[in-house]
Amino acid sequence: MSALLEVEGLTKHFPVRRGLLRRVVGTVQAVTDVSFTVNAGETLAIVGESGCGKSTTGRALLRLIEPTSGTMRLDGTDLMTLSRADLRQMRKRMQIIFQDPYGSLNPRMTVREVLSEPLLLHGVATQANLQAKVAEVLGLCGLSSFHAERYPHEFSGGQRQRVGIARALATRPRLIVCDEPVSALDVSVQAQIVNLLQDIQKQLGVAYVFISHDLAVVRHIATRVAVMYLGRMVEEAPSAELFAAPLHPYTRSLIAAAPRPDPSAGRVHASVEGDLPSAMNPPTGCAFHPRCPLAVDRCRAERPELRTIGDTRVACHLAEPATMRAQTRPLDAN
Ligand code: SF4
Ligand code: MG
């Protein structure tokens, strides 16, 4: 069985222009050679520090940003060669929700109008059953017809995100790209929205590409996790394995730096040691080598390709199966 979404070699490099003549002075390598699949009804999380290319990847999937190269297929349809008109049609099957739905909700439209637009545009509803369809999608998102006549500014952040989800769901897509959908919300509201997304997935079988820097949320929601560093995927594994036995040193430091939920202390944000290098001038060899505690000469000279170890894909010269690591380095504090 082939995957719902197949992405191969996705690359997005932006030219950087400076000065009066807008001369190209460099290239931001935002996303380079990223490949992954998403199966129907599952959640692939994409994680990494800000600037690692995860949002660019998410937007490129919908061609909100035009990829430089690569191939992308949804249900076998080649997304790269679709015309603008066909892309609009494709939005019926593939949607996106953003961190701040407020920015993307027209303040002069009621929730009913916000939802009616995609329902009618994609032929999911007719004027005759529009009211019932609006009520149905509101119900899926824990809202009622009572909310339909209200404007976005009348809602709390959590409710607004529910409206954002309702709008994405209106056309019953197969896949939704969720770009940091809860990071602007209070922690208590985050859990409600994450649970809502899970309930919807169980009911409708929709797949998510879930972009987040919050590993606690990712651990809760993801089927598989892809870790990005400076525009490249460095590790991808089933969620349980990635958190139990991360193979890439960067994944290990991300997990070590993740805040532990401690109600008395609030959430303390630690971070991975060292600064993220510029995506305009990535380090030679393994881009993580300036920050990697295990780096050896080879790491500075040669870029590690993704290798398959068990169910994990990992790009590190020194990665070895977790069981082997435990045997050969019993004193390793990691
Ligand atoms: Fe560290 Fe080398 Fe592995 Fe890169 S290839 S993560 S520098 S050990
Ligand atoms: Mg982002």
Side-chain angles (χ1 to χ4, degrees), residues 50-51 54-56 59 99 179-180 211:
S50 62
K54 53 194 196 300
S55 289
T56 304
R59 283 167 167 73
Q99 178 173 336
D179 189 1
E180 302 271 7
I211 295 163

Side-chain angles (χ1 to χ4, degrees), residues 130-265:
L130 185 57
Q131 191 129 340
K133 288 282 179 193
V134 168
E136 188 183 304
V137 69
L138 283 172
L140 274 171
C141 297
L143 298 169
S144 68
S145 300
F146 162 80
H147 298 101
E149 308 315 326
R150 300 184 164 242
Y151 292 89
H153 72 265
E154 298 179 76
F155 290 103
S156 67
Q159 283 174 321
R160 272 205 297 269
Q161 194 53 289
R162 285 176 193 268
V163 175
I165 296 168
R167 185 180 52 181
L169 272 185
T171 61
R172 293 300 165 90
R174 307 281 318 275
L175 181 96
I176 302 180
V177 174
C178 309
D179 189 1
E180 302 271 7
V182 300
S183 45
L185 303 173
D186 292 342
V187 175
S188 59
V189 182
Q190 287 189 356
Q192 293 170 19
I193 298 296
V194 168
N195 290 338
L196 173 68
L197 287 169
Q198 285 185 306
D199 289 346
I200 288 168
Q201 187 170 60
K202 272 192 212 113
Q203 267 189 68
L204 304 181
V206 59
Y208 299 131
V209 172
F210 192 92
I211 295 163
S212 178
H213 66 273
D214 187 334
L215 291 187
V217 169
V218 164
R219 192 174 198 151
H220 188 72
I221 200 168
T223 319
R224 287 183 297 127
V225 182
V227 182
M228 287 184 70
Y229 188 76
L230 272 186
R232 288 181 187 269
M233 193 182 285
V234 296
E235 182 162 10
E236 193 237 324
S239 181
E241 278 170 43
L242 185 110
F243 283 102
L247 297 187
H248 197 285
Y250 177 60
T251 313
R252 277 185 246 156
S253 27
L254 266 188
I255 292 173
R260 312 256 180 281
D262 175 356
S264 62

Side-chain angles (χ1 to χ4, degrees), residues 46-57:
I46 303 182
V47 305
E49 293 162 286
S50 62
C52 71
K54 53 194 196 300
S55 289
T56 304
T57 301

Side-chain angles (χ1 to χ4, degrees), residues 248-250 286 288-289 292 294-296 299 304 315-318:
H248 197 285
Y250 177 60
C286 173
F288 188 55
H289 85 249
C292 182
L294 305 179
V296 294
C299 304
C316 168
H317 293 309
L318 304 187

